[in-house]
Amino acid sequence: MRILITGGTVLSSTGAVKADVLVDGETIAALSAPGIAVLSSDADKVIDAGGKYVLPGGIDGHTHMEMPFGGTHSNDTFETGTTAAAWGGTTTIIDFAVQAKGTTLQSTLDKWHSKADGNCAIDYGFHMIVSDVNDTSLKEMQTCIDQGVNSFKMFMAYPGVFYATDGEILRAMQRAADIGGLIMMHAENGIAIDELVAQALQEGRTDPVQHGLTRPSALEGEATSRAITLAKVTGSPLYIVHLSAAEALAAVAGARNTGQNVFAETCPQYLYLSIEDLAKPDFEGSKYVASPPLRPKEHQASLWNGLRTNDLSVVSTDHCPFCFNEQKELGRGDFSKIPNGIPGVEHRMDLLHQGVVAGEISLARWVEITSTTPARMFGLYPRKGTISPGSDADIVVYDPAATQTLSAETHHMNVDYSAYEGMRITGKVDTVLSRGRVVVEGNAFHGSAGHGRFLSRELCQYLN
Ligand SMILES: [Zn+2]
């Protein structure tokens, strides 16, 4: 099957060019000046991209499908979550395999393969959450890398669950530095936060907004600085996940200014939502409970600036959907029991395009932070993240002039609310190809569970 995408503006991390794109089977065969007859003569299908952008499929480096949390599971399966991702122009996800204490990394990886394999509509990879640092798991980091999983997430938050001590983090970082792994960090001071949470509950402060008030941004800044110091001592590269606070961004920028291999992602919710959403009455605020929490609005300008200066290199979603009914309700009367997570895998490309419309970032930067840099960061380039001959034909045709309103009524994520309900967006996905297969075309979905393949990733390609 040969598909010609013609008449569009091809976007990359370096800019925009008018070009036709020829797809042959699963890969991109050629780019040419518009209208070259030799390309169109033998295409089986022609997609008219006139007036539209043609960009590499989005790569969401941070999702949680079917993730166990506090006695329940995030509500998207690998099938529903990857289908929703495809609808929104994301053609690769990297999800987190979660080591439970007392289990091995290998059994964890096997378990996540059994959940995902054969069920994904788009390609997928895994990061490994290391929650039990010991001689066995440190040794197994190498066997994970041998199986294409080379990024290891640790937590400075959630004592008693995922929390790792500074000593444990140091040991894992030493190991990562030795074998080429990338340490990803949830940087919040969980020990101090747990005290603030206990005090709030004791004083009868139980509403969702307390989730934000008991996790002050300074404690994200402190943990980020500490993680950066540990990374410096060990020589390990460090990737701060879901950075939400200006203090944390300042720490990352400071480290990057010294040339240290420190990187960070933020998420759309921190760019568009705020603690005012957490404070919504009638338990509505629970819809916005995630960690780190939504911050006061003034942090948003810092984050957009971080995206411009590349102190924030990636935007992922931390997609972790829990329904308002039955799931978020577990925390009625005790905010600390509200399942943590906000749905978003479907809307990342649109929300960041809205940043282009608003003049916050350029078109090239939109592609870079949503696709090209995640591909390099997580060892998928040039297979993913670029429209180049030989690359996988993961392609989005995007209509920059279309408008849409985000709503739970129309989204495809398996969750009963939208964090962006009623938000007007300029721009909309028109057509999506996943490895050469048209999976979204206008309002029709042609993808299927099992089309997506596991991606065995190379080591990080973004290091200094
Ligand atoms: Zn997460």
Side-chain angles (χ1 to χ4, degrees):
M1 176 84 168
R2 290 181 148 221
I3 300 175
L4 180 69
I5 303 170
T6 182
T9 301
V10 176
L11 304 184
S12 72
S13 61
T14 52
V17 291
K18 292 268 187 198
D20 291 352
V21 179
L22 183 68
V23 171
D24 188 0
E26 297 197 344
T27 57
I28 294 163
L31 270 75
S32 82
I36 300 283
V38 67
L39 286 191
S40 50
S41 61
D42 56 7
D44 303 301
K45 178 182 171 76
V46 175
I47 295 172
D48 178 7
K52 303 190 176 92
Y53 299 144
V54 180
L55 61 146
I59 300 173
D60 191 338
H62 190 153
T63 66
H64 300 282
M65 309 303 175
E66 302 178 40
M67 191 196 76
F69 190 100
T72 186
H73 281 77
S74 60
N75 214 41
D76 262 319
T77 62
F78 278 90
E79 179 174 352
T80 63
T82 55
T83 299
W87 273 107
T90 287
T91 51
T92 300
I93 62 162
I94 310 176
D95 205 270
F96 288 84
V98 187
Q99 182 197 24
K101 283 214 196 294
T103 66
T104 63
L105 298 187
Q106 186 62 55
S107 65
T108 305
L109 193 51
D110 293 345
K111 194 171 170 183
W112 253 260
H113 271 299
S114 71
K115 291 188 199 209
D117 294 357
N119 293 320
C120 292
I122 55 170
D123 290 352
Y124 61 99
F126 295 129
H127 309 289
M128 177 59 69
I129 289 178
V130 181
S131 51
D132 201 349
V133 175
N134 55 50
D135 290 345
T136 305
S137 53
L138 289 172
K139 201 168 168 191
E140 282 187 296
M141 286 169 71
Q142 179 67 58
T143 52
C144 287
I145 290 179
D146 296 342
Q147 295 167 80
V149 176
N150 45 49
S151 36
F152 302 92
K153 185 181 176 191
M154 305 187 78
F155 289 79
M156 303 169 97
Y158 304 122
V161 189
F162 298 126
Y163 175 81
T165 65
D166 288 358
E168 289 166 340
I169 291 168
L170 182 101
R171 289 184 74 197
M173 283 180 167
Q174 287 172 329
R175 181 75 171 141
D178 277 351
I179 63 178
L182 177 67
I183 295 290
M184 307 172 81
M185 190 63 71
H186 179 131
E188 285 187 292
N189 184 328
I191 300 288
I193 285 168
D194 272 16
E195 287 300 329
L196 294 174
V197 169
Q199 289 167 12
L201 292 174
Q202 249 165 29
E203 292 162 14
R205 293 184 277 122
T206 62
D207 286 345
V209 71
Q210 296 298 330
H211 174 78
L213 298 176
T214 54
R215 308 179 84 93
S217 59
L219 292 180
E220 185 184 340
E222 182 277 327
T224 303
S225 298
R226 187 154 37 96
I228 288 168
T229 301
L230 292 168
K232 188 173 183 181
V233 167
T234 56
S236 171
L238 173 67
Y239 179 95
I240 304 290
V241 293
H242 49 48
L243 188 149
S244 72
E247 296 93 324
L249 179 58
V252 168
R256 290 178 57 75
N257 286 344
T258 71
Q260 200 181 333
N261 276 310
V262 172
F263 316 102
E265 68 177 15
T266 189
C267 312
Q269 56 268 34
Y270 302 118
L271 296 166
Y272 286 101
L273 305 173
S274 77
I275 195 163
E276 289 169 28
D277 294 292
L278 262 179
K280 284 182 178 169
D282 302 326
F283 203 58
E284 284 280 306
S286 67
K287 294 175 178 176
Y288 305 92
V289 168
S291 296
L294 299 181
R295 301 297 185 190
K297 272 209 171 89
E298 51 267 28
H299 290 264
Q300 293 172 357
S302 305
L303 299 180
W304 282 114
N305 196 52
L307 286 173
R308 288 187 289 270
T309 61
N310 204 37
D311 290 321
L312 294 171
S313 306
V314 170
V315 178
S316 309
T317 59
D318 196 10
H319 175 74
C320 195
F322 293 101
C323 287
F324 181 61
N325 292 304
E326 292 179 18
Q327 293 190 300
K328 290 287 187 179
E329 271 175 358
L330 295 169
R332 223 183 250 279
D334 179 351
F335 69 90
S336 73
K337 295 200 166 60
I338 299 170
N340 277 218
I342 295 177
V345 74
E346 188 170 348
H347 300 316
R348 184 182 61 122
M349 301 302 283
D350 287 327
L351 288 165
L352 272 297
H353 180 258
Q354 196 60 35
V356 177
V357 173
E360 296 282 5
I361 52 172
S362 68
L363 267 181
R365 190 65 182 148
W366 177 45
V367 173
E368 191 166 36
I369 61 183
T370 56
S371 181
T372 310
T373 298
R376 294 176 61 203
M377 190 72 72
F378 301 120
L380 293 168
Y381 190 88
R383 188 170 163 193
K384 309 288 190 190
T386 179
I387 296 184
S388 301
S391 296
D392 282 356
D394 288 358
I395 299 173
V396 176
V397 179
Y398 195 84
D399 183 351
T403 57
Q404 56 174 322
T405 302
L406 304 185
S407 173
E409 299 288 310
T410 48
H411 75 203
H412 303 85
M413 300 176 286
N414 191 32
V415 60
D416 63 359
Y417 75 95
S418 171
Y420 305 96
E421 187 67 40
M423 184 172 170
R424 293 279 292 165
I425 296 274
T426 301
K428 194 174 190 303
V429 167
D430 181 87
T431 304
V432 179
L433 276 69
S434 167
R435 268 187 293 103
R437 173 169 166 185
V438 176
V439 293
V440 175
E441 197 167 29
N443 292 318
F445 187 73
H446 303 303
S448 61
H451 167 75
R453 283 194 204 132
F454 173 71
L455 298 166
S456 181
R457 296 181 291 113
E458 310 288 318
L459 299 182
C460 177
Q461 300 159 321
Y462 206 70
L463 303 182
N464 295 333

